[in-house]
């Protein structure tokens, strides 16, 4: 770790025979720490930097925070034996209100009333040509539960964020890309203390691929060792052609048609999940591409479109219904798990009876 300069002020600092034996061997009335030019080496692959940091009990501020890979995406692959994300995560401004810390029994604890993150930008890239990382990936509830410290964050908000994710599969010229703009999120009760009985709740809205509106609500109980969770959401006004930048390089498929609106609800744990979906869409078709991704495989395309309902057979409100049922691959992330659930629902909605279960 390195810093260009720092200023530290501590007022009314005290210690004594009783205090010196405690985990925090002193007391104080107030403090402030100002740091310029922060650089932290996080290991083999990533670094953390910030232009300036101010830390005080009531108000803390970090400017121009950058968590990033040391190498560009092509060079990173040459240093890896298994898959690992190239990351470029930038936060122009991060504010913290009412920061407190100390020891509770023998455990270090950090408590924060509110964290605000303004206009973050996260770009990730994964080279899928590398071998899979077969380690088990814990869900977020387990990650929080097993932290070596206690945390209690009342509220965390994200405003006007951007996320882009790309995958490189085989030796295609272009990586498949998904991106989300104008992302806003509100997260409450990030708390891993044993006394916490409330659920962690996440509410997000974002614009997907420049036009579709995505809304997502997600909740879980950190202290629940089954890692049970619930997710509900909706997707509106998405021209399926927009997905082709991701579908074509990665899945060798191309879609036509419009998703007017899609609603889904699902419940699960660290092993399996199930739920339901309803969709209103029209003129839907799939094209399966040959290996070179330049020509249409007419046989598979014909068979696929025999199975897929184009959206014309619906209930009186224009919806088709489907079921969600998925077993988790524990070597994949939560977001892969979520995508598998949504994919399960879409396939059942488009290829099943389309009727709502009684």
């Amino acid at each position: 770790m390195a810093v260009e300069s720092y200023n530290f002020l501590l007022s009314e600092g005290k210690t004594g025979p009783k205090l010196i034996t405690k985990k925090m061997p002193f007391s104080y009335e107030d403090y402030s720490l100002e740091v310029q030019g922060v650089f932290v080496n996080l290991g083999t692959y990533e670094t953390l930097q910030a232009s300036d940091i101010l830390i005080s009990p009531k108000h803390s501020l970090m400017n121009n925070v950058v968590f990033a890979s040391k190498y560009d995406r092509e060079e990173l692959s040459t240093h890896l034996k298994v898959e690992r994300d190239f990351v470029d995560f930038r936060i122009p401004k991060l504010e913290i209100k009412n920061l407190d810390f100390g020891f509770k029994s023998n455990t270090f604890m950090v408590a924060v009333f509110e964290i605000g993150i303004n206009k973050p930008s996260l770009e990730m890239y994964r080279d899928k040509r590398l071998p899979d990382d077969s380690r088990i990936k814990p869900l977020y509830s387990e990650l929080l539960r097993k932290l070596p410290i206690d945390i209690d964050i009342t509220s965390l908000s994200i405003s006007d964020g951007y996320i882009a994710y790309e995958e490189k599969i085989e030796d295609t010229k272009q990586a498949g890309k998904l991106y989300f703009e104008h992302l806003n999120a509100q997260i409450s009760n990030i708390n891993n203390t044993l006394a916490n009985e409330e659920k962690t709740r996440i509410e997000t809205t974002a614009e997907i691929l420049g036009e579709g509106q995505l809304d997502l609500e997600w909740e879980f109980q950190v202290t629940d060792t089954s890692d049970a969770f619930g997710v509900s959401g909706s997707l509106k006004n998405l021209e399926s052609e927009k997905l082709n930048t991701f579908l074509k390089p990665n899945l060798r498929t191309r879609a036509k048609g419009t998703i007017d609106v899609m609603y889904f609800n699902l419940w699960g744990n660290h092993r399996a999940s199930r739920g339901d979906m309803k969709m209103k869409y029209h003129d839907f078709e799939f094209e399966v591409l040959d290996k070179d991704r330049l020509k249409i495989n007419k046989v598979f395309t014909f068979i696929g479109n025999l199975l897929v309902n184009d959206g014309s057979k619906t209930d009186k409100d224009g919806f088709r219904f489907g079921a969600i049922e998925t077993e988790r691959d524990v070597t994949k992330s939560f977001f892969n798990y979520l995508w598998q659930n949504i994919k399960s629902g879409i396939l059942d909605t488009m290829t099943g009876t389309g009727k709502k279960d009684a």
Side-chain angles (χ1 to χ4, degrees):
M1 179 177 179
V3 299
E4 293 177 2
S5 63
Y6 66 90
N7 292 293
F8 179 64
L9 173 66
L10 181 73
S11 61
E12 299 296 326
K14 297 177 183 179
T15 189
K18 291 183 178 180
L19 285 173
I20 201 71
T21 62
K22 295 184 176 181
K23 293 282 186 181
M24 291 281 287
F26 58 92
S27 65
Y28 55 88
E29 288 294 323
D30 199 5
Y31 69 90
S32 68
L33 172 65
E34 296 181 48
V35 186
Q36 305 287 329
V38 180
F39 175 88
V40 184
N41 186 351
L42 296 176
T44 306
Y45 301 108
E46 290 91 22
T47 63
L48 178 68
Q49 300 181 60
S51 63
D52 55 278
I53 298 175
L54 167 66
I55 300 176
S56 66
K58 291 186 177 181
H59 182 249
S60 299
L61 180 64
M62 301 180 185
N63 289 317
N64 302 313
V65 179
V66 179
F67 169 73
S69 298
K70 292 181 178 180
Y71 309 103
D72 65 32
R73 56 179 64 186
E74 288 79 16
E75 186 180 357
L76 177 62
S77 294
T78 67
H79 293 271
L80 298 175
K81 294 182 179 180
V82 296
E83 291 180 2
R84 185 185 183 92
D85 287 332
F86 165 87
V87 179
D88 189 332
F89 185 29
R90 298 173 183 267
I91 302 175
K93 184 177 181 181
L94 185 152
E95 289 188 89
I96 299 173
K97 295 182 181 178
N98 295 351
L99 170 66
D100 192 17
F101 56 85
F103 282 87
K104 189 174 182 180
S105 297
N106 290 320
T107 304
F108 187 71
M109 180 175 182
V110 177
V112 174
F113 176 69
E114 184 179 353
I115 298 176
I117 299 176
N118 187 41
K119 293 187 176 181
S121 172
L122 171 60
E123 296 195 20
M124 294 184 294
Y125 166 83
R126 176 162 290 205
D127 189 345
K128 301 292 288 184
R129 297 169 297 178
L130 293 167
D132 288 340
D133 180 355
S134 60
R135 292 176 297 176
I136 292 176
K137 311 299 189 302
L139 298 182
Y140 290 105
S141 49
E142 182 180 350
L143 286 172
L144 287 168
R145 190 168 58 248
K146 291 186 175 180
L147 282 176
I149 66 172
D150 285 348
I151 59 171
D152 181 4
I153 301 172
T154 304
S155 173
L156 187 153
S157 61
I158 299 171
S159 60
D160 199 17
Y162 173 81
I163 297 176
Y165 176 72
E166 293 183 73
E167 281 187 357
K168 182 82 165 181
I169 297 204
E170 300 175 353
D171 290 318
T172 53
K173 293 182 180 180
Q174 186 176 6
K177 183 175 181 178
L178 287 175
Y179 63 91
F180 304 85
E181 299 174 294
H182 308 300
L183 184 145
N184 296 285
Q186 188 67 43
I187 308 173
S188 60
N189 191 44
I190 308 171
N191 186 321
N192 67 349
T193 61
L194 291 175
N196 178 38
E197 296 181 354
E198 297 183 22
K199 291 183 177 181
T200 301
R201 288 186 169 83
I202 302 104
E203 297 180 7
T204 65
T205 63
E207 189 178 276
I208 179 172
L209 298 171
E211 63 173 31
Q213 179 64 38
L214 177 67
D215 297 313
L216 194 69
E217 295 184 9
W218 170 23
E219 65 178 23
F220 54 82
Q221 176 73 50
V222 173
T223 54
D224 183 350
T225 55
S226 74
D227 297 312
F229 65 89
V231 177
S232 62
S234 65
L235 176 63
K236 300 176 182 177
N237 302 322
L238 180 64
E239 294 287 341
S240 60
E241 283 87 346
K242 291 280 186 177
L243 290 169
N244 289 333
T245 56
F246 188 78
L247 295 175
K248 183 177 176 181
N250 293 6
L251 302 178
R252 286 197 322 196
T253 59
R254 196 160 57 198
K256 296 180 180 180
T258 301
I259 298 175
D260 299 311
V261 62
M262 175 178 74
Y263 298 101
F264 59 90
N265 297 281
L266 62 99
W267 308 266
N269 55 30
H270 53 239
R271 291 295 177 186
S273 58
R274 61 193 313 163
D276 53 68
M277 177 177 286
K278 69 176 184 178
M279 291 178 64
K280 185 184 292 187
Y281 61 96
H282 61 271
D283 300 330
F284 225 91
E285 293 181 6
F286 276 109
E287 294 176 343
V288 181
L289 305 178
D290 284 330
K291 191 173 182 179
D292 61 9
R293 293 168 176 78
L294 298 176
K295 298 178 181 178
I296 298 171
N297 187 316
K298 294 182 179 180
V299 175
F300 285 117
T301 296
F302 175 74
I303 294 172
N305 285 320
L306 284 179
L307 299 174
V308 173
N309 182 280
D310 64 2
S312 60
K313 297 178 181 179
T314 65
D315 71 356
K316 61 183 179 62
D317 296 316
F319 284 99
R320 286 179 58 84
F321 297 83
I324 295 171
E325 190 166 0
T326 304
E327 289 189 11
R328 183 184 175 223
D329 181 347
V330 297
T331 68
K332 304 294 185 182
S333 69
F334 171 79
F335 290 102
N336 175 273
Y337 191 19
L338 178 61
W339 164 243
Q340 296 302 327
N341 276 277
I342 293 173
K343 185 172 73 171
S344 167
I346 291 174
L347 288 174
D348 193 64
T349 302
M350 290 186 172
T351 63
T353 65
K355 296 180 180 180
K356 188 175 184 179
D357 290 338

